[in-house]
């Protein structure tokens, strides 16, 4: 079975502060991990995927297989980063994305 | 405008009614999905179709019946609506596998309220 856990339902930081959204997964195979984001009144959209090892909007996420984690980080949070963030895992079932519970990030001015 | 579009955006109905939500994608994807987001924002897959064939069918009541007339459309019909069906339903699409090389593209969601 595949499972994704985001321990923080709510996360508040001030503008300019570092932010880390935690994600842990459970999967017996080789996982593919993603972060999706949903801004207010917008559709859920892909933020980044571990395979790309890219930085999107200043966010990065490193897959740590030893700790089974895929935490999302940004060194300096901006107000426009306020959104709902979902960590997701794709296993062997075709297209079956398992989502975490989501973390609502609020960046205060 | 290439996207996943679903209608209606809002749906308010009474218990016991039957309703449908439509979804269409023009991204050329061969796989489509229905996800349910409950009141706690928990997002869970319900169904997945690849080229009109059902490939994922999670534990969902029989009152929910997806229909895919072609690979660009996946509709969701719900019979005998119950209060617990109130949620936001998201349609999504991808190339087969939905893996790292073909992430999911989501629609804007349909907020269903059952009274």
């Amino acid at each position: 079975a595949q499972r994704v856990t985001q321990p923080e339902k709510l996360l508040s930081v001030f503008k300019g502060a570092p932010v880390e959204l935690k994600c842990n997964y459970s999967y017996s195979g080789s996982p593919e991990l993603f972060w999706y984001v949903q801004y207010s009144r917008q559709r859920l959209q892909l933020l980044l995927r571990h395979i790309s090892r890219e930085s999107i909007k200043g966010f990065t996420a490193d897959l740590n297989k030893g700790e089974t984690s895929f935490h999302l980080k940004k060194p300096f949070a901006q107000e426009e980063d306020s959104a709902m963030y979902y960590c997701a895992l794709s296993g062997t079932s075709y297209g079956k994305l398992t989502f975490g519970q989501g973390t609502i990030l609020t960046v205060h001015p | 405008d290439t996207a996943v579009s679903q209608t209606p955006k809002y749906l308010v109905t009474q218990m016991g009614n039957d309703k449908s939500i439509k979804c269409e994608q023009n991204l050329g994807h061969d796989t489509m999905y229905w996800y349910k987001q409950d009141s706690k924002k928990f997002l869970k897959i319900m169904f997945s179709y690849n080229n009109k064939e059902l490939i994922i069918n999670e534990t969902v009541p029989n009152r929910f019946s997806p229909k895919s007339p072609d690979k660009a459309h996946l509709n969701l019909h719900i019979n005998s609506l119950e209060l617990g069906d109130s949620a936001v339903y998201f349609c999504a699409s991808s190339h087969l596998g939905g893996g790292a090389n073909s992430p999911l593209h989501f629609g804007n969601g349909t907020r269903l309220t059952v009274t």
Side-chain angles (χ1 to χ4, degrees):
Chain A
Q2 51 194 65
R3 189 167 65 239
V4 177
T5 304
Q6 293 177 247
E8 303 140 329
K9 190 168 183 178
L10 301 169
L11 185 61
S12 289
V13 299
F14 285 100
K15 178 182 172 181
V19 63
E20 182 180 50
L21 290 84
K22 291 185 168 50
C23 172
N24 288 91
Y25 67 89
S26 173
Y27 182 62
S28 56
S30 186
E32 293 178 351
L33 286 149
F34 308 82
W35 277 98
Y36 280 80
V37 60
Q38 188 175 24
Y39 300 103
S40 179
R41 295 190 179 87
Q42 293 187 31
R43 66 185 67 205
L44 190 62
Q45 57 188 288
L46 177 70
L47 179 62
L48 55 78
R49 51 193 135 171
H50 90 268
I51 197 169
S52 301
R53 301 182 68 82
E54 58 201 343
S55 173
I56 302 292
K57 299 184 179 183
F59 284 97
T60 58
D62 291 319
L63 177 61
N64 186 323
K65 291 188 178 181
E67 296 182 358
T68 59
S69 68
F70 188 57
H71 303 325
L72 183 68
K73 301 176 185 179
K74 185 169 182 176
F76 308 103
Q78 303 299 315
E79 289 178 68
E80 55 266 29
D81 296 328
S82 296
M84 168 73 95
Y85 291 81
Y86 285 98
C87 182
L89 179 152
S90 178
T92 55
S93 293
Y94 289 122
K96 182 178 176 179
L97 265 188
T98 298
F99 285 87
Q101 301 93 319
T103 298
I104 299 173
L105 172 66
T106 303
V107 181
H108 299 284
Chain B
D1 192 23
T2 55
V4 179
S5 56
Q6 52 184 111
T7 55
K9 192 171 181 180
Y10 299 97
L11 184 54
V12 181
T13 188
Q14 291 184 326
M15 284 174 56
N17 285 348
D18 303 338
K19 290 293 178 185
S20 292
I21 307 172
K22 295 185 177 181
C23 180
E24 175 182 7
Q25 56 92 8
N26 61 3
L27 297 165
H29 291 156
D30 54 16
T31 308
M32 296 184 73
Y33 314 80
W34 278 109
Y35 278 81
K36 180 181 179 181
Q37 185 184 48
D38 62 24
S39 58
K40 296 182 180 178
K41 303 291 188 181
F42 192 58
L43 199 60
K44 192 170 182 181
I45 191 167
M46 300 174 69
F47 302 103
S48 174
Y49 270 74
N50 173 253
N51 283 325
K52 304 192 297 177
E53 288 192 22
L54 181 67
I55 55 173
I56 294 175
N57 184 357
E58 293 295 287
T59 308
V60 177
N62 291 337
R63 300 180 294 103
F64 289 79
S65 54
K67 286 186 173 51
S68 182
D70 55 60
K71 69 177 186 178
H73 295 83
L74 181 61
N75 304 322
L76 183 65
H77 189 74
I78 315 170
N79 290 326
S80 303
L81 277 155
E82 300 177 356
L83 292 177
D85 298 333
S86 295
V88 181
Y89 292 84
F90 286 97
C91 179
S93 71
S94 74
H95 289 298
L96 179 62
N101 293 320
S102 181
L104 270 61
H105 291 251
F106 284 85
N108 277 324
T110 295
R111 182 175 294 278
L112 171 65
T113 303
V114 182
T115 61

